[in-house]
Amino acid sequence: MSEAGGGPGCGFPVPQRAPWSLVAATAALCLVSATSVWTAGAAPMSREEKQKLGNQVLEMFDHAYGNYMEHAYPADELMPLTCRGRVRGQEPSRGDVDDALGKFSLTLIDSLDTLVVLNKTKEFEDAVRKVLRDVNLDNDVVVSVFETNIRVLGGLLGGHSLAIMLKEKGEYMQWYNDELLQMAKQLGYKLLPAFNTTSGLPYPRINLKFGIRKPEARTGTETDTCTACAGTLILEFAALSRFTGATIFEEYARKALDFLWEKRQRSSNLVGVTINIHTGDWVRKDSGVGAGIDSYYEYLLKAYVLLGDDSFLERFNTHYDAIMRYISQPPLLLDVHIHKPMLNARTWMDALLAFFPGLQVLKGDIRPAIETHEMLYQVIKKHNFLPEAFTTDFRVHWAQHPLRPEFAESTYFLYKATGDPYYLEVGKTLIENLNKYARVPCGFAAMKDVRTGSHEDRMDSFFLAEMFKYLYLLFADKEDIIFDIEDYIFTTEAHLLPLWLSTTNQSMSKKNTTSEYTELDDSNFDWTCPNTQILFPNDPLYAQSIREPLKNVVDKSCPRGIIRVEESFRSGAKPPLRARDFMATNPEHLEILKKMGVSLIHLKDGRVQLVQHAIQAASSIDAEDGLRFMQEMIELSSQQQKEQQLPPRAVQIVSHPFFGRVVLTAGPAQFGLDLSKHKETRGFVASSKPYNGCSELTNPEAVMGKIALIQRGQCMFAEKARNIQNAGAIGGIVIDDNEGSSSDTAPLFQMAGDGKDTDDIKIPMLFLFSKEGSIILDAIREYEEVEVLLSDKAKDRDPEMENEEQPSSENDSQNQSAEQMTSISQEIDLIDQESLEETSLNSHPESLSPADTDNAASVSPSEQNSNPAENHETTSLDGECTDLDNQLQEQSETEEDSSPNVSWGKKVQPIDSILADWNEDIEAFEMMEKDEL
């Protein structure tokens, strides 16, 4: 999400309408100055090792791209666990995340310019021909304007940019006649109706065939959009105007940016996350640099670089000053309220902010970039990947990881700006983790849970568009790339746009005007190239000195949530009341609550409800204390509830041809061997007879010394466990009898006992939903002997078994494995579903915006718990520094299993109507967009 090559990454001021040659020349000067300082004190990576790692990136891309083309194309994305394409409408809905899919071969378009960067020019030419031949942009499907712009329009423009470059070189693409540009123009006109609002902000979604508001369109009723959604259009739309001469695209994108700028909070110069597209009112008033806002800031700075309009730089500098004043709390970046910027809005960070160090490199502010990047790297070293969200004390908040590229992006730009080989080692770690934990026979699978290592059946297009591009460029020397990367700017999706667009077909629209700037701290703008005495102090160990204090920040320290208001109490004044200390029977505490505008109401069921009226607080400071108290009370309740939960477990298939590459998310049991305290259980699997395991087994010799497979139904889980244990099984896996159930679309749950003493059960028991269970069942049908590992988290793969494969036929074996896994999606026939005690993973606490008049929470006098509906996965600001990584809410099953026995040998297709009854798993970006305090 940052400028290519580290050129403008040194923060030099590009003159208005500056020639691209000046941009590139100044970039080169900046890099030479930076590198000469850093390499003096660091051991460089050898050319041979860099080439080896670069070749490894090429092989990984081939594995991902080749499997997409073989098993998924022309579908939008690859489902790497089931080795098939994801076609919208044919798979269970995943909510807003599916709005990126438009039946336009998304992954192929998103990968076009990556092929050229990786020097795969022949494959690029073939891919362009496929796009022109097969892709249809006139589909009756509702898509995200934001995602379609950055992925599809950006992909077409990036492909066009490099196609004309290759044509000029004279070897490839000689037949090309701007066909991709014409497709981009067609798509641009299809997106324009979204801007038909009084504000100029676009609707968040549009129907590619019918546009907006028509009955056939099935969209146009939305009122809100995210700031990034409306503010991440200018690069693609301006490039389309400059390429084609049609100024309308740039004019519409500029109008949206102008409106967002006018609606900023004037006292703090911050913008909120969500805005009403008709009125311009802020719907969500929290502000940060992560999800919902991130690329808005990025595009302000890059629009200045690409278009040479000073007003974009002035706006960015104004926002950046506010970010560094309020949001930046090194090494953390914490959301605040736009009206009360000294008050933190949350105590966790999302993974999308990992792009920000790269943007700071583009700005030229290197020190905070190094600090934040190092903090993120420490989180990655602990969890192998960056969780979708994590708390201020570095505990997992949202455990998913959809193979996001933002951290790799910042790593690349920090290396380009500093020349520090440390960042090459960081990139090497990323490569190793991807191959070790995410690689599967049909591509690379997103992580369902970074704590257990379980996979999700998705490989997003941005993984190919960005991850491999940044990793390859990190290890590539200039001669390894067939064109000068310094001549291009990266979009937020890492698509390449040529800098010479700054002087081509300039828009005749009225120039942006920027007014009402606040007085800025001049020291913030000393970071300009080539003033290396400021940017890079004359110390070869400068970067290391910044990183050193953060080296053990995750593992050995437990930083508290930073509440700046407390700084005012360090002089000896009494600190505010904290939720962990509150007692509903303490008169002094009740008086403090009253001062903070918090009322206490006794409910008939014995609970105590706390309601905050900010306008009734004694002062603004007291109102902020009350708001923080309410937030802490919700978090404290959440923590107390989670401590009673068991974490998810993992079932890892370790036999041929899987070798540990497939990890299934499993629900734990409240009885039997605790896998978190004992060594994992490894063994071959065997089906029990009867399959429901509700009576003495008739095939004890088949399950003796093995892990028994049992179907859910007809009796209690503890009874099933006793029966297979008596038959000599070393473990048990209960497979759901509800056809089509999956951990992707339903929250996990834990198996409860039978209300009696279960100490006699000594073997581990795990639960798999139907989709995950059918993966094992299909493997048994195909290979007969299937060995699995039951553990608390995925273990390293078995290198000895994997080495039995012939290296020369690696691709053949992978393809064979892919074919052998095509039956994974087949499911077990369904009879009935038992009842569960469910606790949703996706519930959120109430909004506690400072602008709200009433804020409420309910607590028990004894437990101080908030309403369970307000439960969310985070921790108390000053909680004990204990390891809570494995805390994940699950369902607890207490009622008797009542489904009759069904043979798992019969395979049928999933029933969409049954799947629709399950709660959809809200994906990380959707949760980030809609989550409220």
Side-chain angles (χ1 to χ4, degrees):
M1 289 187 180
S2 298
E3 165 63 20
C10 291
F12 62 88
V14 182
Q16 182 177 345
R17 294 185 176 87
W20 64 267
S21 57
L22 175 61
V23 175
T26 314
L29 172 63
C30 216
L31 281 178
V32 170
S33 302
T35 305
S36 63
V37 174
W38 287 104
T39 55
M45 181 179 287
S46 68
R47 166 75 173 163
E48 292 74 19
E49 186 173 2
K50 288 177 64 177
Q51 285 182 330
K52 180 180 178 181
L53 290 169
N55 290 334
Q56 196 170 357
V57 174
L58 293 176
E59 186 279 329
M60 293 166 66
F61 174 82
D62 289 341
H63 179 65
Y65 181 76
N67 274 287
Y68 165 74
M69 295 304 296
E70 179 178 355
H71 299 290
Y73 182 79
D76 283 317
E77 290 180 343
L78 169 69
M79 299 173 67
L81 296 183
T82 51
C83 299
R84 55 196 173 97
R86 183 180 295 280
V87 179
R88 194 164 175 187
Q90 296 182 13
E91 302 295 333
S93 173
R94 301 176 299 170
D96 289 352
V97 71
D98 280 340
D99 288 344
L101 311 181
K103 298 182 179 179
F104 35 38
S105 301
L106 176 63
T107 298
L108 181 62
I109 293 178
D110 223 359
S111 304
L112 286 177
D113 51 8
T114 302
L115 290 166
V116 183
V117 172
L118 273 55
N119 200 13
K120 296 180 179 294
T121 48
K122 185 178 183 303
E123 291 87 342
F124 171 73
E125 191 159 4
D126 293 340
V128 172
R129 292 184 186 275
K130 284 185 173 65
V131 170
L132 300 180
R133 181 191 68 200
D134 300 335
V135 172
N136 177 22
L137 298 176
D138 196 41
N139 299 311
D140 180 12
V141 59
V142 177
V143 297
S144 162
V145 173
F146 167 76
E147 297 290 354
T148 304
N149 172 66
I150 66 172
R151 300 202 206 189
V152 185
L153 183 59
L156 292 172
L157 292 172
H160 170 71
S161 299
L162 297 189
I164 59 177
M165 177 274 297
L166 290 173
K167 184 177 182 178
E168 290 176 358
K169 287 181 175 291
E171 183 177 356
Y172 293 96
M173 303 298 293
Q174 296 306 299
W175 55 270
Y176 182 71
N177 192 29
D178 296 348
E179 288 87 351
L180 290 177
L181 179 59
Q182 295 308 312
M183 289 186 67
K185 188 175 181 180
Q186 177 191 2
L187 180 60
Y189 278 117
K190 285 185 172 295
L191 296 179
L192 284 184
F195 292 83
N196 188 22
T197 61
T198 55
S199 66
L201 299 179
Y203 282 95
R205 299 173 185 85
I206 193 169
N207 187 298
L208 289 176
K209 187 176 184 68
F210 298 108
I212 295 287
R213 293 184 178 175
K214 294 181 181 178
E216 304 93 333
R218 304 185 305 281
T219 188
T221 60
E222 301 93 337
T223 58
D224 306 335
T225 192
C226 71
T227 299
C229 299
T232 310
L233 299 161
I234 186 65
L235 292 188
E236 292 84 1
F237 271 50
L240 184 57
S241 289
R242 303 297 175 96
F243 272 130
T244 64
T247 61
I248 187 172
F249 304 108
E250 184 173 342
E251 291 169 359
Y252 273 59
R254 282 178 178 266
K255 183 179 178 182
L257 275 181
D258 291 346
F259 190 83
L260 288 173
W261 170 252
E262 290 301 319
K263 290 299 179 179
R264 74 193 185 281
Q265 211 290 321
R266 298 304 176 97
S267 62
S268 67
N269 281 316
L270 295 173
V271 292
V273 174
T274 309
I275 190 171
N276 186 295
I277 61 177
H278 302 296
T279 66
D281 294 333
W282 290 110
V283 179
R284 277 188 53 188
K285 303 176 180 66
D286 46 318
S287 182
V289 297
I293 302 180
D294 49 0
S295 49
Y296 163 69
Y297 294 134
E298 176 187 3
Y299 270 37
L300 283 178
L301 183 54
K302 289 184 177 180
Y304 163 64
V305 174
L306 182 64
L307 306 179
D309 189 332
D310 291 339
S311 65
F312 290 129
L313 178 63
E314 292 168 349
R315 294 180 188 184
F316 173 80
N317 282 339
T318 302
H319 284 314
Y320 187 78
D321 178 73
I323 291 169
M324 300 310 290
R325 286 174 185 266
Y326 307 121
I327 296 172
S328 177
Q329 302 176 31
L332 310 180
L333 292 164
L334 294 177
D335 286 15
V336 299
H337 296 281
I338 59 175
H339 298 287
K340 300 284 186 179
M342 299 302 291
L343 180 64
N344 289 338
R346 59 177 57 156
T347 58
W348 49 269
M349 295 163 280
D350 65 70
L352 286 172
L353 62 76
F355 92 101
F356 197 67
L359 188 63
Q360 289 179 307
V361 170
L362 178 61
K363 161 68 180 171
D365 204 355
I366 300 296
R367 184 184 185 95
I370 294 173
E371 291 174 335
T372 299
H373 180 275
E374 181 63 19
M375 177 270 292
L376 295 170
Y377 184 44
Q378 297 301 322
V379 175
I380 288 175
K381 288 201 291 187
K382 181 173 184 179
H383 300 295
N384 300 321
F385 298 98
L386 195 62
E388 277 293 77
F390 54 94
T391 62
T392 54
D393 49 4
F394 310 111
R395 301 170 184 176
V396 173
H397 183 59
W398 293 327
Q400 307 97 317
H401 174 74
L403 306 182
R404 293 198 184 277
E406 286 77 15
F407 181 78
E409 171 190 354
S410 289
T411 302
Y412 165 64
F413 289 113
L414 271 170
Y415 176 67
K416 294 297 290 185
T418 66
D420 189 342
Y422 174 83
Y423 296 108
L424 296 178
E425 296 297 330
V426 174
K428 182 179 179 180
T429 300
L430 298 182
I431 291 174
E432 291 173 348
N433 287 351
L434 284 171
N435 278 320
K436 191 173 184 179
Y437 302 110
R439 185 165 182 150
V440 294
C442 281
F444 291 84
M447 306 307 296
K448 177 71 174 178
D449 193 314
V450 299
R451 296 165 297 190
T452 64
S454 57
H455 292 135
E456 189 173 355
D457 201 7
R458 63 183 288 194
M459 187 178 78
D460 292 84
S461 68
F462 55 68
F463 182 59
L464 284 83
E466 301 184 65
M467 181 69 81
F468 296 114
K469 195 176 293 176
Y470 288 125
L471 289 178
Y472 182 76
L473 290 172
L474 177 63
F475 298 104
D477 291 327
K478 190 169 184 179
E479 56 268 24
D480 296 328
I481 308 172
I482 62 175
F483 64 98
D484 191 351
I485 199 75
E486 309 290 349
D487 292 343
Y488 297 83
I489 188 171
F490 278 152
T491 70
T492 193
E493 190 78 2
H495 293 307
L496 296 170
L497 299 177
L499 292 173
W500 53 257
L501 288 175
S502 63
T503 58
T504 302
N505 290 327
Q506 297 176 14
S507 174
M508 299 302 294
S509 61
K510 182 179 179 182
K511 191 163 185 62
N512 293 341
T513 56
T514 302
S515 59
E516 298 188 35
Y517 290 105
T518 57
E519 183 176 351
L520 304 181
D521 181 2
D522 290 340
S523 64
N524 184 47
F525 306 108
D526 289 341
W527 307 90
T528 53
C529 181
N531 190 353
T532 57
Q533 293 304 312
I534 297 177
L535 188 59
F536 306 106
N538 190 20
D539 180 2
L541 300 179
Y542 175 65
Q544 181 179 342
S545 67
I546 297 176
R547 292 191 298 263
E548 190 64 29
L550 304 171
K551 188 168 69 172
N552 298 317
V553 68
V554 174
D555 290 332
K556 296 185 179 180
S557 66
C558 186
R560 306 298 185 185
I562 302 174
I563 304 297
R564 296 184 179 182
V565 179
E566 289 186 3
E567 295 177 358
S568 62
F569 295 96
R570 291 178 180 174
S571 60
K574 190 173 181 180
L577 177 64
R578 307 306 296 267
R580 66 177 185 273
D581 302 323
F582 171 70
M583 296 182 62
T585 56
N586 188 320
E588 183 180 357
H589 289 181
L590 298 180
E591 186 63 30
I592 296 175
L593 290 187
K594 182 178 180 180
K595 186 178 180 182
M596 295 190 298
V598 179
S599 302
L600 185 145
I601 304 173
H602 292 275
L603 303 179
K604 293 181 179 180
D605 59 6
R607 291 182 301 141
V608 173
Q609 184 180 49
L610 298 177
V611 181
Q612 186 195 24
H613 305 274
I615 59 175
Q616 296 181 8
S619 67
S620 60
I621 295 296
D622 291 318
E624 292 179 3
D625 289 343
L627 183 63
R628 184 174 62 254
F629 176 84
M630 299 289 286
Q631 180 179 342
E632 290 179 5
M633 186 62 72
I634 294 172
E635 293 171 348
L636 181 62
S637 170
S638 171
Q639 182 60 40
Q640 291 173 341
Q641 292 178 18
K642 286 186 296 182
E643 288 174 353
Q644 302 173 3
Q645 301 293 329
L646 293 176
R649 306 301 187 204
V651 175
Q652 191 170 10
I653 307 179
V654 297
S655 55
H656 173 85
F658 305 95
F659 302 116
R661 289 178 294 202
V662 174
V663 183
L664 308 174
T665 300
Q670 296 177 349
F671 53 86
L673 183 70
D674 187 350
L675 292 171
S676 65
K677 299 178 181 179
H678 299 82
K679 186 178 179 180
E680 66 275 1
T681 298
R682 177 170 180 165
F684 289 93
V685 295
S687 179
S688 62
K689 294 183 181 179
Y691 189 36
N692 59 27
C694 291
S695 60
E696 182 179 350
L697 299 195
T698 60
N699 63 334
E701 68 287 347
V703 300
M704 175 73 71
K706 296 183 179 180
I707 296 173
L709 300 179
I710 327 161
Q711 188 184 50
R712 174 183 177 184
Q714 293 190 316
C715 64
M716 303 296 289
F717 288 118
E719 183 177 349
K720 298 175 187 287
R722 292 188 179 97
N723 287 332
I724 63 172
Q725 179 175 271
N726 293 337
I730 61 174
I733 299 176
V734 178
I735 299 177
D736 193 9
D737 64 337
N738 179 16
E739 180 187 8
S741 64
S742 167
S743 63
D744 292 340
T745 55
L748 291 175
F749 67 94
Q750 56 192 28
M751 297 183 288
D754 54 5
K756 305 174 184 177
D757 186 3
T758 56
D759 290 343
D760 59 313
I761 301 176
K762 306 297 183 183
I763 61 175
M765 295 290 294
L766 297 181
F767 180 90
L768 290 179
F769 283 111
S770 173
K771 179 181 177 181
E772 286 75 18
S774 65
I775 292 178
I776 295 180
L777 298 176
D778 288 339
I780 293 175
R781 298 186 189 99
E782 190 72 29
Y783 306 106
E784 295 185 0
E785 295 291 324
V786 176
E787 189 177 14
V788 301
L789 186 73
L790 311 183
S791 60
D792 61 331
K793 63 187 300 184
K795 308 301 179 183
D796 292 345
R797 297 166 185 170
D798 192 336
E800 295 182 1
M801 295 182 66
E802 198 160 358
N803 287 337
E804 293 177 4
E805 293 184 300
Q806 295 296 328
S808 61
S809 61
E810 179 180 355
N811 292 334
D812 293 339
S813 64
Q814 289 173 351
N815 292 337
Q816 180 184 6
S817 300
E819 295 172 0
Q820 291 164 341
M821 292 180 65
T822 56
S823 62
I824 285 177
S825 62
Q826 304 292 339
E827 310 292 350
I828 308 170
D829 198 5
L830 165 71
I831 296 297
D832 193 12
Q833 175 188 356
E834 61 198 309
S835 59
L836 303 173
E837 288 185 5
E838 296 187 3
T839 302
S840 173
L841 284 172
N842 299 322
S843 56
H844 305 293
E846 297 179 23
S847 172
L848 294 177
S849 169
D852 294 340
T853 303
D854 297 337
N855 298 293
S858 297
V859 296
S860 165
S862 59
E863 298 180 1
Q864 302 176 11
N865 282 354
S866 66
N867 193 315
E870 296 170 336
N871 184 25
H872 67 136
E873 188 173 330
T874 185
T875 58
S876 173
L877 294 179
D878 292 306
E880 292 293 327
C881 193
T882 55
D883 184 10
L884 299 180
D885 287 343
N886 290 331
Q887 291 178 349
L888 181 67
Q889 287 198 333
E890 297 138 355
Q891 295 171 300
S892 177
E893 172 154 343
T894 58
E895 296 192 15
E896 180 178 314
D897 252 38
S898 59
S899 299
N901 184 24
V902 180
S903 171
W904 54 263
K906 179 181 178 182
K907 295 193 289 186
V908 297
Q909 293 296 328
I911 302 174
D912 291 341
S913 60
I914 298 298
L915 287 174
D917 291 337
W918 286 82
N919 291 326
E920 296 174 357
D921 184 16
I922 300 178
E923 298 296 336
F925 186 83
E926 179 186 2
M927 290 191 289
M928 294 174 188
E929 183 178 356
K930 295 182 178 180
D931 186 320
E932 297 178 342
L933 286 173

